[in-house]
Every structure is written in structure tokens, then in C-alpha cells.
Amino acid sequence: MTMCRWMAYSGDPIVADDLVFRPEHSIIDQSLHARLTGFTTNGDGFGMGWYGDTAGSPPRVYKSTHPAWNDENLREVAREVRTPLLFAHVRASSGTPVQRSNCHPFRHGRMLWMHNGSLAEFPRVERDLRMAVDPALHPLMEGSTDTETLFFLALTFGLEEDPPAAVARAVGLAEEVGRAHDVPDPVHMTVATSDGESLWVFRYSSEKATSSLYYSTDIDPLRRLHPELAVLDTLGSDARFVVSEPLRELPGAWTEVPEGSWARLRRGEHEFQPFQPVSA
């Protein structure tokens, strides 16, 4: 199974370059040298989504089919973007074309969405799943990925009002349709979604063996543990990261997101809850 890599940041406004390029094992480094997956290279496109400081403004996205390590425009953009909430994603295609409309993150209104994993044997279930998308939303789908389909199913089920309930229903439907087509383990996912105020993350797979996902612990204790790392002084006490792979091997910095769980992170707060798909 091909696996993408992603990271999400929430906290005080920070220049995107400090998040995307500067960490020791940055998302750019992971695009070439992923460690916690069988596929070390994620070169099928890159995407970055971010929110500005103006309350209620829609998120912005930069997406490219170039490999992240070879995109000079990305370097220019990252130096100019300052944001309190950022998504970044490097893609390893699971079979759909390498095109901009298939790159993450996906956007609708205030919502951003990105995903690592797959809906197993997607060509067999694609028609049934797309037919379940709200007809008013269906024309807005631009690409051909399982990720975008799952996003629009979640929107159909109320993602903008109640993300955990909407994702539970979308995943429940994907499992029902998959098993109706004799797909034994239909869903494998780590997902991040946001409305610009809160960040929700999900880790779940039908086979109960989901890809890696980690979140950063409190910054204040880390400053005391590692006074040699000046970069920690630039982050507010409520800064949080969620990553497919740790951005630096730093004892005490990273905690694994529990298997089969979801969490809402907002201004340094986080609480994990069990994730259970719901029959649609």
C-alpha cells in the first residue's frame, strides 16, 4: 500500500518556511526519505494549506505536481506565508493520476482536508460512493482520488457542523460499500481536517493496523528538557504538531496518536476519543 506523509500545525502565527523546510526531518525531507513506511519516496505532488489572521477568511492552498524537494516556487511561497494553522502534504499516488486536482489538501468553504491511506480497491467502489455525495456538492469535485471522495462524503454528512460524526458516517458508508463488493478491509486512513479554529485528526483502519501518526507534547516541558534547541523558544506554549513522522528525533517530544481514535486540538488543548464508524 502506498503511503503519503503529512503534517499539521496549530499555534501562534509562524512563517511556513520554519515548519516546512527547517526541521531536521521536515516534510520536504520525508518526501525523499520517509522512515515509517515501506515507500521512502513521496514524489507525486505536494500541497500546503493555511489560514490567515482575519477571522472567518477562507483558507488558501498551494498545490503542485512537482516533487516537493524540487519546487522552487514552494520555497518562495513558504518564506512569505505567516499562519497560525498550516497543513502540508507530500503525495504517493495509489494509482490515480498525478495532477493538481488530486493533490492534498482539499478545500471547501472554511474546511481543509488531507489524508494518508486509501479506500481499498477504489475503482470497484468509486461509483457507489460518489453517487452518495450530495448532488449540490457533486459538481465541485475536481479530481479522481479516494481522498476527495471521502472528503465530499464527510461534507455530505455534516463535516462543517460536527466533524467527528460526519467522518464516522463517511467511513461507515465506505466500509459498507467496500464489503458489499467483497473488499475485506475497505478503509485505511489518517486524516486531518480544520475550519481554521480547531484541528481534528483521525487514525483508523478496518484491519486495525493504521499508519503511523504522532502529536507533539507540551512545549514548556520540552524547553526545560532541551534548552539547547533555540527553535523551541520561538513557539508559543499552546503550539501543537500532528505528523505522520516526527520532525526530529527528540526524546519526550512525540506521542503516538492511539489506534482507532480522533481528537480535537485547539489552542493547546487536546483530548482523544475512540473512533467508531457509524452506519450511514
Side-chain angles (χ1 to χ4, degrees):
M1 181 187 298
T2 54
M3 287 294 151
C4 307
R5 303 282 85 180
W6 60 257
M7 64 153 287
Y9 166 82
S10 174
D12 290 342
I14 190 170
V15 176
D17 185 67
D18 291 335
L19 302 174
V20 174
F21 283 96
R22 293 185 183 277
E24 181 179 288
H25 190 43
S26 70
I27 195 74
I28 304 301
D29 184 62
Q30 290 178 37
S31 69
L32 275 168
H33 306 294
R35 299 169 184 168
L36 301 182
T37 175
F39 293 82
T40 59
T41 303
N42 297 269
D44 296 328
F46 176 88
M48 185 170 72
W50 67 94
Y51 294 85
D53 292 329
T54 304
S57 62
R60 306 301 184 197
V61 296
Y62 174 86
K63 300 200 284 189
S64 171
T65 58
H66 293 164
W69 66 82
N70 194 34
D71 190 334
E72 290 299 322
N73 289 328
L74 172 61
R75 287 186 175 272
E76 297 295 325
V77 171
R79 290 169 183 152
E80 298 301 320
V81 169
R82 185 174 176 84
T83 176
L85 204 159
L86 179 135
F87 282 13
H89 185 281
V90 289
R91 183 173 183 245
S93 172
S94 57
T96 49
V98 179
Q99 60 193 43
R100 186 183 183 280
S101 59
N102 283 344
C103 293
H104 311 217
F106 296 90
R107 172 180 60 182
H108 177 76
R110 287 277 296 160
M111 305 302 296
L112 282 177
W113 173 281
M114 62 183 174
H115 165 237
N116 171 35
S118 67
L119 301 184
E121 300 189 48
F122 183 58
R124 293 173 59 187
V125 300
E126 178 180 7
R127 180 182 180 278
D128 288 354
L129 293 179
R130 285 182 173 255
M131 289 294 290
V133 171
D134 184 334
L137 293 171
H138 199 278
L140 303 177
M141 300 176 70
E142 298 178 343
S144 56
T145 63
D146 51 356
T147 297
E148 186 182 32
T149 299
L150 191 62
F151 177 38
F152 274 81
L153 285 171
L155 287 167
T156 298
F157 294 133
L159 182 68
E160 293 167 296
E161 292 77 36
D162 187 344
V167 175
R169 291 186 66 194
V171 172
L173 176 63
E175 288 194 323
E176 286 181 4
V177 171
R179 287 168 179 149
H181 287 269
D182 298 320
V183 178
D185 297 310
V187 177
H188 190 110
M189 69 175 204
T190 65
V191 163
T193 190
S194 179
D195 61 1
E197 299 293 332
S198 297
L199 167 64
W200 290 269
V201 297
F202 301 82
R203 185 182 183 211
Y204 174 81
S205 60
S206 304
E207 69 272 32
K208 307 299 187 289
T210 313
S211 301
S212 59
L213 194 64
Y214 296 84
Y215 67 97
S216 62
T217 53
D218 293 345
I219 296 296
D220 289 336
L222 286 179
R223 290 193 185 106
R224 295 191 291 270
L225 280 170
H226 302 281
E228 75 281 7
L229 295 178
V231 66
L232 297 178
D233 294 329
T234 68
L235 300 177
S237 60
D238 60 357
R240 293 290 182 272
F241 293 87
V242 186
V243 296
S244 295
E245 299 187 10
L247 303 178
R248 182 187 178 102
E249 292 302 326
L250 190 62
W254 303 99
T255 301
E256 188 172 17
V257 173
E259 172 75 39
S261 68
W262 68 268
R264 179 189 184 193
L265 294 85
R266 179 172 179 169
R267 304 306 295 177
E269 301 175 3
H270 64 271
E271 180 181 0
F272 289 92
Q273 300 287 342
F275 178 80
Q276 183 63 44
V278 173
S279 175

